[in-house]
Amino acid sequence: MTTSQDHMSTGLPPNPNGLNLAASWYVALASRELGPRPRAVELFGEPLVAWRDGAGRPVVMPRFCPHMGASLALGRVVDGALRCPFHHWRFDASGTCVAIPGVDRIPSTARRTPYPTVERYGYVWVWYGGPDPEFVLPDFPAMEEDRGDYVGFRFSDRTTGTARQLLENAIDYFHFMALHGMSLDPVAFRQLHDQAHARDNGPPIADDAWFGVEVDGTLRTWSLGENPVRWVHQMVTTFGSGPHFRLLIDGWPGGQRFTTYIEGEEISKVLMGITPTGEYRTVQRGWAGVRKSNKHWKTFLYSLLFYAQNRGGTAQDIPIYNTTATGRPSTYVRYDNVLIKYRRYYQSWVDRAAPAPTLPGETT
């Protein structure tokens, strides 16, 4: 590969405008945000309504009643069905209208088509890109069977960046050094091709939906007297445990899993999901936590350092997302090799996405 290349002349991946969403699982909202009453949500550039059926299962579907267009988010759940506030038409969890007061025969078009939905890790996830998910939502043991081994926090960061920008940020390893000041020398960065190498993040993901990378390097050490600011940054980055840093990243087209190691010891894990509300309106949401130590003071210290590291890094990333010009040709250099592969991978899932399922006469 030459030093720089233009995708217009080489067929390299484009830098598109707009939603440009891959077929995938996305976060609709946090579980705690969805109580017994329906809630209006914006997702995929569409006005939707989220509600819980009689068994407490989440349902996410087009917001407006097919009768007169009233917002179902103003309705109520009655006998496990969502009742429109205007004329009291009721819709079950499949989106089928099951009752119309004063009417014996319900029209076949009296329905809303829900998105496939799963509730895990404290979030309601929605499948975008077709009527049936092409892979199951990936597992993240740190928030399920292994949750007692970690202490962490949830995050939610709004940006005018795109879903792909947020996801490819972890693949763009060179910005760790340029923007975040990580003095890694030497540094090795590689794409993973065997999911066994990512087993610490969780069980395998469907092969064609999986993308994994690893960053491995040695951080330059600074003494307090030599450079106090660099020394503090070094302590936050390495938890004061040593210079050898390793980051394991893998995921699917709408989310990622991370594990960080210092001197070969696992320090932290992160789960990140994406909420694409509309064009240039995106939220990165998830959970970040450190592995508990047998010493309480150490767990507490690592938690503080990791929170500062995570939130500080995000505070640097968000202004970049918010001001990046997309929709323009990209000039690539040697260290962008894996980023180019990620963009191709992501775009292949954009190409697989189909519009939300609808019935004749049904609109959002």
Side-chain angles (χ1 to χ4, degrees):
M1 182 174 185
T2 59
T3 302
S4 63
Q5 297 183 356
D6 186 300
H7 76 83
M8 298 297 289
S9 60
T10 64
L12 288 171
N15 195 11
N17 278 318
L19 279 169
N20 193 51
L21 289 178
S24 190
W25 290 101
Y26 295 94
V27 175
L29 70 169
S31 294
R32 59 179 173 75
E33 296 176 308
L34 187 58
R37 299 190 67 86
R39 182 184 178 95
V41 296
E42 296 283 338
L43 202 60
F44 318 129
E46 302 289 347
L48 306 177
V49 59
W51 56 284
R52 294 188 182 277
D53 68 9
R57 293 181 294 254
V59 182
V60 179
M61 66 188 196
R63 185 185 305 168
F64 303 113
C65 182
H67 179 213
M68 293 292 177
S71 173
L72 296 171
L74 300 179
R76 294 179 56 192
V77 178
V78 177
D79 295 331
L82 179 57
R83 189 180 73 181
C84 177
F86 202 12
H87 298 92
H88 286 189
W89 289 29
R90 281 191 281 162
F91 301 85
D92 67 12
S94 73
T96 302
C97 183
V98 293
I100 300 177
V103 174
D104 295 327
R105 184 176 178 275
I106 299 174
S108 61
T109 56
R111 67 166 297 165
R112 306 280 74 187
T113 304
Y115 285 82
T117 306
V118 171
E119 187 167 20
R120 288 179 77 183
Y121 317 128
Y123 297 101
V124 175
W125 303 78
V126 168
W127 173 265
Y128 170 86
D132 299 304
E134 296 191 36
F135 57 89
V136 299
L137 180 68
D139 294 317
F140 187 61
M143 292 192 73
E144 292 188 314
E145 61 265 32
D146 297 337
R147 65 183 308 166
D149 296 335
Y150 298 88
V151 57
F153 59 92
R154 294 183 184 272
F155 57 86
S156 179
D157 305 303
R158 295 186 178 276
T159 172
T160 56
T162 66
R164 196 194 72 185
Q165 275 182 282
L166 274 60
L167 290 162
E168 73 181 19
N169 188 58
I171 312 301
D172 180 13
Y173 83 99
F174 204 83
H175 97 281
F176 296 164
M177 297 178 283
L179 178 63
H180 300 309
M182 294 180 67
S183 303
L184 290 166
D185 186 18
V187 59
F189 176 69
R190 65 182 180 121
Q191 180 182 357
L192 302 177
H193 298 285
D194 185 345
Q195 292 207 50
H197 295 145
R199 65 167 64 93
D200 284 358
N201 280 350
I205 298 169
D207 283 340
D208 59 346
W210 177 75
F211 196 97
V213 297
E214 179 185 59
V215 183
D216 194 317
T218 301
L219 286 146
R220 177 179 173 180
T221 57
W222 305 81
S223 69
L224 180 59
E226 180 184 10
N227 191 320
V229 174
R230 287 283 191 176
W231 181 84
V232 170
H233 184 271
Q234 169 188 308
M235 290 298 104
V236 172
T237 302
T238 67
F239 300 84
S241 298
H244 184 216
F245 171 89
R246 178 172 166 245
L247 177 62
L248 183 64
I249 307 154
D250 79 338
W252 63 102
Q256 289 168 333
R257 309 179 295 191
F258 303 75
T259 303
T260 303
Y261 311 83
I262 302 294
E263 296 298 322
E265 176 188 356
E266 181 191 315
I267 299 293
S268 63
K269 287 193 184 294
V270 175
L271 173 71
M272 187 180 81
I274 300 294
T275 303
T277 59
E279 287 197 359
Y280 304 108
R281 290 182 289 118
T282 313
V283 187
Q284 61 179 14
R285 313 174 79 146
W287 173 92
V290 298
R291 178 175 279 278
K292 291 180 180 177
S293 168
N294 55 6
K295 298 176 181 177
H296 295 302
W297 68 265
K298 190 174 182 180
T299 300
F300 178 71
L301 175 62
Y302 279 17
S303 296
L304 289 179
L305 292 174
F306 186 53
Y307 182 85
Q309 178 192 119
N310 181 280
R311 296 293 82 201
T314 298
Q316 292 176 308
D317 286 330
I318 294 294
I320 304 295
Y321 300 152
N322 290 348
T323 55
T324 295
T326 59
R328 300 184 178 193
S330 295
T331 299
Y332 298 102
V333 294
R334 179 179 53 80
Y335 58 69
D336 292 322
N337 280 334
V338 179
L339 177 65
I340 290 169
K341 293 176 182 178
Y342 182 82
R343 288 186 169 188
R344 285 177 172 149
Y345 148 84
Y346 182 87
Q347 207 64 32
S348 73
W349 281 91
V350 173
D351 295 341
R352 293 166 77 153
T358 57
L359 292 176
E362 181 180 18
T363 62
T364 55

